[in-house]
Amino acid sequence: MEVIICKDYDEASAKAYEVMKGVISAKDDATLGLATGSTPIGLYKNMIKDHKENGVSYAKCHSFNLDEYVGIDRNHEQSYYTFMHENLFNHIDIKEENVNLPYGDDQAACDAYEKAMDGYKIDIQVLGIGANGHIGFNEPGTSFDSLTHIVDLQEKTISDNARFFNNDMNLVPKKAITMGIATIMKAKKVLLIATGANKADAVYGLVKGEVTESLPASILQKHPDVVVVVDEAAASKIK
Ligand code: PGA
């Protein structure tokens, strides 16, 4: 595991893009594993900028996202499908038919997503991390053997996300579909980005803690190629 400590969010986003660019430059038909949340937005801005200014192309790339809500339409303004289009896909030249997000509420949807990914092999998986160490929607206690599965969102996640749904918890989806931990571990390379003091404990667990299902991201200590990009605040407990 390589840990790169940056000054702040902007520097971390630029460094994360350097790692991403290394993969795309070496393989113009790379398969990208992508994430939602506030953390990767800076990385996506750098991808868009370099595409627009220097023509870095995603025309041959495929992408697979980590997760999606269950129970809202793909075109809902808060779906991760919408998020990815607004924050990345609409601004680069990736082809719509090469873009994949999990979608559905049953085992068949989960199996189909695993099968689709197996056909490609993810060259680089972008991850954020939750303050509790979650990756994707894999909350503490999720089995390290898990593949794509349906999860019940925790009460805390539902209340945290109510701000995106008119502050009404009743409107927040109660379930999601997510790549599992074993799915994430199949990626050839993992790029995890964490910024802000509220991630410091999770980053400690990720880098220096015991490998335990109580802190899902800790499994990455066993992955052969992980780059962790953090800012000073998120790195405060590992220095
Ligand atoms: P954030 O979410 O990027 O919005 O902090 C990260 C996560 O929960 O995985």
Side-chain angles (χ1 to χ4, degrees), residues 9-230:
Y9 180 82
D10 287 347
E11 199 179 296
S13 298
K15 184 52 83 173
Y17 179 56
E18 265 179 44
V19 177
M20 170 64 76
K21 190 167 181 178
V23 171
I24 309 162
S25 309
K27 193 175 175 195
D28 64 357
D29 61 348
T31 300
L32 314 177
L34 300 174
T36 52
S38 45
T39 307
I41 289 177
L43 163 65
Y44 298 157
K45 285 194 170 136
N46 280 284
M47 290 167 73
I48 293 165
K49 185 165 186 279
D50 208 13
H51 166 70
K52 289 202 188 308
E53 291 178 2
N54 303 311
V56 173
S57 176
Y58 298 86
K60 295 187 186 163
C61 290
H62 289 74
S63 74
F64 288 90
N65 261 79
L66 278 174
D67 49 15
E68 177 60 284
Y69 287 121
V70 165
I72 57 171
D73 190 81
R74 280 201 145 164
N75 295 314
H76 188 286
E77 59 182 4
Q78 293 303 335
S79 76
Y80 290 172
Y81 180 90
T82 299
F83 176 100
M84 287 308 302
H85 282 79
E86 286 178 351
N87 288 290
L88 183 65
F89 300 149
N90 290 350
H91 312 287
I92 59 174
D93 61 347
I94 195 163
K95 297 200 170 82
E96 181 62 29
E97 65 266 31
N98 292 348
V99 158
N100 300 274
L101 286 93
Y103 191 56
D105 60 1
D106 59 9
Q107 191 57 43
C110 299
D111 293 346
Y113 202 58
E114 284 293 326
K115 200 158 171 238
M117 280 181 282
D118 272 351
Y120 286 98
K121 299 277 185 252
I122 289 176
D123 290 295
I124 179 167
Q125 175 65 57
V126 176
L127 292 178
I129 185 171
N132 64 2
H134 74 211
I135 46 178
F137 267 124
N138 296 288
E139 298 291 357
T142 305
S143 166
F144 283 156
D145 295 329
S146 53
L147 295 171
T148 299
H149 60 290
I150 308 287
V151 292
D152 291 314
L153 299 187
Q154 295 189 342
E155 192 76 15
K156 171 90 174 81
T157 307
I158 294 170
S159 65
D160 282 353
N161 291 358
R163 67 188 194 279
F164 300 118
F165 292 86
N166 294 332
N167 285 317
D168 184 348
M169 278 177 63
N170 295 319
L171 298 178
V172 182
K174 306 291 181 290
K175 287 176 189 270
I177 178 168
T178 183
M179 284 188 200
I181 304 282
T183 319
I184 292 168
M185 290 294 279
K186 288 192 226 171
K188 289 187 198 154
K189 184 182 194 78
V190 173
L191 167 61
L192 186 146
I193 314 162
T195 59
N198 66 323
K199 301 288 173 73
D201 286 325
V203 167
Y204 179 86
L206 159 71
V207 177
K208 297 202 160 164
E210 180 198 347
V211 177
T212 164
E213 288 177 352
S214 309
L215 198 133
S218 64
I219 190 65
L220 296 171
Q221 291 175 27
K222 305 231 180 258
H223 189 285
D225 186 1
V226 178
V227 181
V228 175
V229 179
V230 284

